[in-house]
Amino acid sequence: MIEDRWRHGLTRREALLSLAGILAGSPLLGAQLDPRPFKDHRRSPGLDEMLTAFDFEPICYANMPLAQYDYMAHGSDSEFTLRRNRQAFDWVELVERPGTRPDAVNTATELFGMKLPCPILIAPSTRQRDLHPDGDSGMYQGATAAGTPMIVAGGSSIPLEKIAATANGPRWSQFYPIQNLGASRDQIEFFQANGAKAIVVTADQQTSRYERDLHDRHLGGNPRAVVGDDSVPVPPGATRGPARYRVNPRRMWYTWKYLDDIRPFIKGPMLVKGIITPDDAKICVERGYDGIIVSNHGGRTLDYVPATLEVLPEIVDAVAGRIPVLVDSGFRRGSDLVKAIALGASAVCLGRAPRWGLGAFGPAGVQRLLEIMQTEFRGAMAKAGCTTLKALDRTAVRTRFP
Ligand SMILES: Cc1cc2nc3c(=O)[nH]c(=O)nc-3n(C[C@H](O)[C@H](O)[C@H](O)COP(=O)(O)O)c2cc1C
């Protein structure tokens, strides 16, 4: 009788019910169910199905771990500037003028004596090996195949000598200031000895904190370590000095004088990247630098600075044609390029877009993405009634910035 009570008692039944409940809610059981009943019909689109630069992004995303994707995609803090870079294109309308055929359009231009079939360059960006095993070399091959010059990041994920050996297209190098002048000279001379035809000095004072990455910590990613001094190893996770104020100490020390000091080391053109005010643009002209890149680092530096497209016209006016004004941050479409050139830019640099191409399909993806943007650009120029870049002026756009 005791045994019978034990087998049929309420307590046992309750225990079994609880166990069943646990099993039903368990991810183990969930894993047995197919969450995608139409999986036989799912497939990744191929390279020849890519229609716009945007099409490459989800494939790139699917090809890489979240932490690496987020390193590329994130902006700083609330990502206001990241969003605004794209939103700004909605505030510039194109003026359509019928009567021009796309094949009558010539998109060629010249920059510091370098001939470009289209006013596009690859912006410098680090960690390209996250995207594809060929990394920066793959980017360089794809860019060269599309006739696009590449600005190789000073912190490229493949040594510059190796990148240089993989293609023969025009190439510049980007340089992050180094406090020691001798080390600065060595690095700049190394870039030039390896074929850099111009040096881009990144001057935007990055004060970034990437909250996306910090959240990723919970998903297996590594939050970016910020350390106090390049020469002293700091235990993982530790911060000191200016890092406590969320300021990257490698980026907040330099002055205009430093740029003057390194100028003699640079044999060809020196461009300053990260200019977003007319006053700073004028300083660059007055100090004799050869060009500027209007950039907010793709929303990766100080959050809440305006979109580069918004500040471009006033910077172009301040420079008054004395040096070329390049621009980047948020460019994804041929019509985006039309807007920037109409507002006075000499050329546009692309950061994330060709990275999506590399991450999705390797060098062929970079080439295809660039060709799509070139074709879009030509088509949009034709619709704006412009057959040359010179003809593409402010009459081609109507700006309605808030
Ligand atoms: C993943 C990544 C890494 C970057 N690394 C660098 C760098 O090392 N040096 C630099 O001057 N800019 C760097 N940038 C900024 C780009 O040169 C460029 O200013 C920015 O990407 C333009 O915005 P877009 O990505 O919206 O086109 C990086 C950008 C990304 C997305």
Side-chain angles (χ1 to χ4, degrees):
M1 215 177 86
I2 291 171
E3 190 185 331
D4 203 47
R5 206 183 296 153
W6 184 83
R7 286 173 63 196
H8 301 290
L10 196 62
T11 315
R12 180 177 163 77
R13 208 175 289 147
E14 275 174 357
L16 283 172
L17 259 177
S18 306
L19 187 62
I22 289 168
L23 274 177
S26 147
L28 283 177
L29 202 66
Q32 308 304 310
L33 305 173
D34 187 348
R36 289 170 291 190
F38 298 117
K39 75 174 190 307
D40 289 346
H41 299 278
R42 280 167 186 262
R43 62 180 184 87
S44 297
L47 180 59
D48 55 349
E49 291 170 278
M50 298 292 102
L51 299 177
T52 73
F54 296 104
D55 294 346
F56 292 79
E57 189 184 8
I59 300 171
C60 173
Y61 172 84
N63 279 350
M64 59 200 297
L66 181 71
Q68 293 182 2
Y69 171 80
D70 277 355
Y71 171 73
M72 161 170 64
H74 63 205
S76 38
D77 296 342
S78 312
E79 302 189 337
F80 168 86
T81 300
L82 177 76
R83 291 189 296 278
R84 193 155 170 128
N85 279 337
R86 284 299 306 149
Q87 192 175 17
F89 291 104
D90 295 347
W91 297 325
V92 179
E93 295 164 2
L94 296 175
V95 178
E96 186 164 7
R97 293 193 201 119
T100 303
R101 289 155 44 113
D103 53 11
V105 173
N106 179 3
T107 59
T109 187
E110 206 176 303
L111 209 51
F112 304 114
M114 174 177 77
K115 292 197 187 326
L116 298 176
C118 196
I120 300 180
L121 295 93
I122 306 286
S125 69
T126 46
R127 287 181 47 175
Q128 295 187 15
R129 237 180 9 177
D130 283 1
L131 304 159
H132 189 270
D134 293 350
D136 314 66
S137 298
M139 183 72 89
Y140 185 34
Q141 287 166 340
T144 301
T148 304
M150 171 163 166
I151 309 173
V152 179
S156 57
S157 52
I158 289 183
L160 180 60
E161 318 88 279
K162 287 198 177 159
I163 302 170
T166 51
N168 56 8
R171 183 166 36 78
W172 298 354
S173 273
Q174 175 264 336
F175 171 75
Y176 265 126
I178 308 172
Q179 212 148 356
N180 179 313
L181 263 190
S184 303
R185 188 189 52 230
D186 290 350
Q187 194 169 97
I188 290 168
E189 286 177 353
F190 170 76
F191 291 159
Q192 294 174 146
N194 280 284
K197 295 278 181 269
I199 300 293
V200 172
V201 183
T202 300
D204 46 10
Q205 305 259 300
Q206 284 203 74
T207 51
S208 349
R209 195 174 82 130
Y210 301 125
E211 290 174 13
R212 272 203 220 197
D213 299 37
L214 296 171
H215 289 303
D216 279 356
R217 204 172 24 197
H218 308 301
L219 299 169
N222 291 324
R224 253 161 68 103
V226 182
V227 296
D229 179 337
D230 288 3
S231 59
V232 186
V234 170
T239 55
R240 63 175 172 224
R244 275 177 294 158
Y245 308 104
R246 300 177 187 171
V247 171
N248 184 333
R250 291 183 196 172
R251 305 276 161 82
M252 288 296 281
W253 57 268
Y254 41 87
T255 59
W256 294 111
K257 181 179 175 311
Y258 172 83
L259 297 192
D260 291 344
D261 289 345
I262 60 165
R263 183 70 190 88
F265 309 148
I266 299 175
K267 301 299 170 234
M270 164 175 165
L271 291 91
V272 181
K273 174 173 183 279
I275 299 298
I276 48 166
T277 65
D279 287 348
D280 285 347
K282 273 193 209 148
I283 290 175
C284 290
V285 175
E286 283 154 15
R287 289 184 173 249
Y289 311 145
D290 304 288
I292 55 171
I293 305 184
V294 177
S295 170
N296 56 36
H297 225 99
R300 299 163 79 84
T301 178
L302 181 64
D303 200 17
Y304 285 96
V305 299
T308 51
L309 199 69
E310 287 174 274
V311 293
L312 179 64
E314 59 202 64
I315 292 178
V316 165
D317 291 345
V319 169
R322 288 173 288 174
I323 54 173
V325 176
L326 284 69
V327 63
D328 75 22
S329 298
F331 288 81
R332 311 281 184 260
R333 274 204 179 277
S335 58
D336 300 343
L337 305 182
V338 168
K339 293 172 186 180
I341 304 290
L343 292 175
S346 306
V348 170
C349 305
L350 305 176
R352 294 183 183 85
R355 288 181 68 100
W356 297 337
L358 185 65
F361 297 105
V366 177
Q367 179 184 353
R368 180 83 191 108
L369 182 139
L370 291 170
E371 287 169 354
I372 287 173
M373 289 190 69
Q374 290 165 355
T375 308
E376 284 182 349
F377 179 54
R378 177 183 291 273
M381 271 185 69
K383 283 176 206 152
C386 300
T387 50
T388 63
L389 295 194
K390 278 209 170 64
L392 186 54
D393 59 18
R394 289 190 190 176
T395 60
V397 289
R398 275 203 319 218
T399 53
R400 296 172 184 275
F401 294 125

